[in-house]
Amino acid sequence: MGRGRATFRNGLPFTVSRDMRRFEDRVANDEVERAAVFDGDGNLIGEFGGIVADNVSIPSSVNVRDMVVTHNHPPDDNGLGNLDPDTAAPSAADLFNSVDRNALAIRAVTPTTVFTVVRGASGWGGSVPDYERSYDAARDRVHGAIRRRYAMRFGMSEEEVPDFSEARRDPDVSRRFRAAGSATMTEDILSDMSRQFGFRVTKQPRSR
């Protein structure tokens, strides 16, 4: 795998150029997902997506090796998982695609926040199957912690805690899961995985 840049500028190993910020500002509030690929100096390579609300695909013919992929996460009011309107961290699919295509970084933009996952200085540190197994294990640990907080906060046993899928159907369950920490669930999973693979996760308010 390729190596990350040794010198970080503004805390990141790539240039957040004016063109990158303009793209992110333009798509941050969109209801459809759009993506753009930039090189390490912040030069635009291409824009993609805008077809469906929760998916964007960059053609395999586009070389993203050592590039920065940035895209928006349309807000979702279910209050659970990576599409929370305030904390839409890069998803499992975002991470796996970055590893598979050896991108330098993946950025996810919401109306309020920019998340960046940056490849480690020695590469991603594993294969996609390695990441898939690690993601499943980290998700189980994070889910377990959320369920324990839910049980303690609302005076019930862990066996009585609803399934996570209920949060999409029941607003009260969604609010309770948020109170137990579900809004940062994907962030917590990424943080857990970063200790194994050496990638870096940053979260910054989006400048208006």
Side-chain angles (χ1 to χ4, degrees):
M1 290 188 175
R3 296 182 65 84
R5 296 181 175 210
T7 302
F8 281 67
R9 287 166 286 179
N10 298 321
L12 297 170
F14 58 86
T15 298
V16 180
S17 64
R18 181 176 299 177
D19 285 345
M20 188 182 296
R21 290 194 183 279
R22 284 175 175 168
F23 172 81
E24 292 176 344
D25 288 345
R26 175 158 51 87
V27 304
N29 292 282
D30 276 6
E31 295 182 358
V32 295
E33 244 184 64
R34 305 179 192 275
V37 178
F38 292 84
D39 66 19
D41 294 319
N43 300 307
L44 177 66
I45 304 300
E47 294 188 22
F48 310 92
I51 299 174
V52 294
D54 60 355
N55 187 39
V56 62
S57 177
I58 297 173
S60 59
S61 59
V62 178
N63 179 22
V64 301
R65 181 185 179 91
D66 300 329
M67 303 292 177
V68 179
V69 178
T70 183
H71 69 305
N72 64 309
H73 275 172
D76 183 350
D77 63 3
N78 64 56
L80 183 66
N82 71 295
L83 291 183
D84 181 89
D86 296 318
T87 60
S91 67
D94 294 335
L95 185 61
F96 300 159
N97 286 332
S98 299
V99 173
D100 184 49
R101 301 178 69 173
N102 204 10
L104 174 60
I106 177 75
R107 286 164 68 85
V109 182
T110 79
T112 62
T113 310
V114 179
F115 292 86
T116 307
V117 177
V118 182
R119 187 180 65 194
S122 298
W124 284 105
S127 65
V128 172
D130 293 333
Y131 270 73
E132 290 172 340
R133 287 189 291 270
S134 178
Y135 190 93
D136 288 345
R139 180 189 57 204
D140 288 347
R141 287 191 291 271
V142 171
H143 279 192
I146 292 171
R147 292 180 64 83
R148 287 190 292 275
R149 288 196 295 268
Y150 190 114
M152 291 180 63
R153 188 179 183 99
F154 299 105
M156 60 181 67
S157 68
E158 287 188 46
E159 290 74 19
E160 294 174 302
V161 175
D163 187 81
F164 282 99
S165 62
E166 290 295 317
R168 293 186 176 273
R169 298 188 290 268
D170 187 326
D172 288 335
V173 173
S174 177
R175 284 192 291 272
R176 288 187 171 196
F177 267 118
R178 286 176 61 86
S182 70
T184 61
M185 181 168 64
T186 307
E187 291 177 60
D188 295 339
I189 292 171
L190 292 175
S191 178
D192 186 306
M193 294 178 67
S194 71
R195 292 189 286 273
Q196 176 181 352
F197 293 109
F199 61 78
R200 181 182 177 199
V201 184
T202 68
K203 174 184 177 181
Q204 297 175 318
R206 192 175 68 82
S207 57
R208 299 302 203 279

